[in-house]
Amino acid sequence: MKRTKIVDALRSTAYGEQICVKGWVRTHRSSKAVDFIALNDGSTIKNIQIVADPSCPVSGVPSAALKDITTGSCLCVVGTLVESPAAGQASEIQAQTIELYGLCGSDYPMQKKGQSFEYMREHAHMRLRTNTFGAVMRIRHNMAMAIHTYFHEHGFFYFHTPLITASDCEGAGQMFQVTTKNLYDLKKDEDGKIIYDDDFFGKQTSLTVSGQLEGELGATALGAIYTFGPTFRAENSNTPRHLAEFWMIEPEVAFIDLNDLMDLEEDFIKYCVQWALDNCKDDLDFLNKMIDKTLLERLASVVKTDFVRLPYTEGIRILEEAVANGRKFEFPVSWGMDLASEHERYLVEEHFKKPVIMINYPRDIKAFYMKQNENEEAGRETVQGTDVLFPSIGEIIGGSVREEDYDKLMSEIKRRDIPMKDMWWYLDTRKYGTCPHGGFGLGFERLILFITGMQNIRDVIPFPRTPKNADF
């Protein structure tokens, strides 16, 4: 008999019909008269109740009986769909036959009891079967669908940028090298530098930290593109906000100015949040109950609220005023500093109580490619950068208008001693038909953190990669 997904069985009103469901046991309660099995196949947060007579035949595993079916066991159940007399569920299945695909022993690591998230990270290959992680992964899927749908509907083209690159977009140097060289016999020149002539690509290459530079090439040909793929940062950080491997969404748009860019950032993120509210109700209800009781309220408020648009200099003034009034920060506040998460969250959660788009950052704390503002006083040069700051998260989007002027961009590259051998192709976009353009990067996992109310970024990606951790 053809399998019916549990999400469809729960919606069905074809009472009296025989159906087949398959899944993993969440709970099993037995009595002399009847057994109740909660079955889940991952298609929904909700379980379907299997009602079985103690004499119900069990096949599949030799000598197995109904009593052997424990949490985590995998079943195929054929039975009759009936209206459920129990509160909170419309349907249940009166079992006729049960086939046991796989037993689950008492050492199953996801037993039905309170497990810490740290414990579950140690068993990341099994945690996906829990209600919490099932909800998070279904929401993750829906957010990916929202992103592709938004850009498709707004005339963007999905553009694939390379994962292996010879350029460092962010200039931080925290990149994973890619090589086929024998690490036990590295050839070096007279200055002690590694010779890459015999390496696979003939030069030093790394895993990308961003697809932006190549994305700009796409935008100056196709008008509006977006990337959506994995990126890598060899940053030795163990905070709840950092991963070594994560996913990024990076749109790039020709003929866009600072106001247009902020409009795009706000519209895009509101679309994603609304998509979650419209398409992930059951999972969000569960997370609102079990993880963060303010989750739904916070999501709804983002959709309804106009984001504050705040110049960096004004943000620093607000923070300095807070310090003068007795507010304590771990890190000192001064013009020219890169804001810490505590500063960003103060502005968003305490001062404005709504999302903030901070703009016009000091030139020296931002990337070389950002467009410089005109007529700035000496020592207060700023660039047209934009950071979208969210409650509970801090920075969720970072973007900018890009510097389109060849001479200004070349001057900045020289000022920062960026090797020209890696930048010639990027500069060609400014030599041949340059145009105003801009874009942003959204860390996908940070979006999932906000949408789900989870507190650690390692809990919104199936298999986290962090310092000293590449299991599974």
Side-chain angles (χ1 to χ4, degrees), residues 54-74:
S55 63
C56 181
V58 176
S59 64
V61 175
S63 303
L66 203 59
K67 63 179 176 59
D68 299 315
I69 296 173
T70 56
T71 297
S73 297
C74 187

Side-chain angles (χ1 to χ4, degrees), residues 194-210:
I194 296 171
I195 298 171
Y196 285 94
D197 293 351
D198 61 341
D199 205 354
F200 187 89
F201 293 106
K203 61 173 67 176
Q204 184 177 353
T205 56
S206 305
L207 294 177
T208 185
V209 298
S210 169

Side-chain angles (χ1 to χ4, degrees), residues 347-358:
L347 292 170
V348 172
E349 297 170 14
E350 298 184 46
H351 186 80
F352 291 107
K353 295 182 172 60
K354 61 175 68 175
V356 170
I357 305 179
M358 184 169 276

Side-chain angles (χ1 to χ4, degrees), residues 53 72 75 115 183 196 265 287 302 315 355:
D53 186 279
L75 309 180
Q115 311 281 11
L183 299 182
Y196 285 94
E265 291 169 339
L287 294 171
V302 164

Side-chain angles (χ1 to χ4, degrees), residues 309-316 357-360:
R309 301 186 177 191
L310 178 71
Y312 170 91
T313 300
E314 175 65 12
I316 291 295
I357 305 179
M358 184 169 276
I359 60 172
N360 296 336

Side-chain angles (χ1 to χ4, degrees), residues 258 310-314 316 335-337 358-386 400-401 403 408 412 415-416:
L258 183 60
L310 178 71
Y312 170 91
T313 300
E314 175 65 12
I316 291 295
W335 198 97
M337 61 172 285
M358 184 169 276
I359 60 172
N360 296 336
Y361 282 85
R363 170 189 181 190
D364 288 337
I365 65 172
K366 288 297 183 181
F368 74 94
Y369 49 71
M370 293 191 182
K371 185 176 179 64
Q372 299 173 32
N373 284 308
E374 302 290 341
N375 304 318
E376 296 287 322
E377 62 180 285
R380 287 280 179 113
E381 295 94 349
T382 63
V383 292
Q384 294 182 19
T386 67
S400 75
V401 177
E403 180 57 72
K408 290 180 180 178
E412 192 65 15
R415 189 176 79 89
R416 300 189 186 215

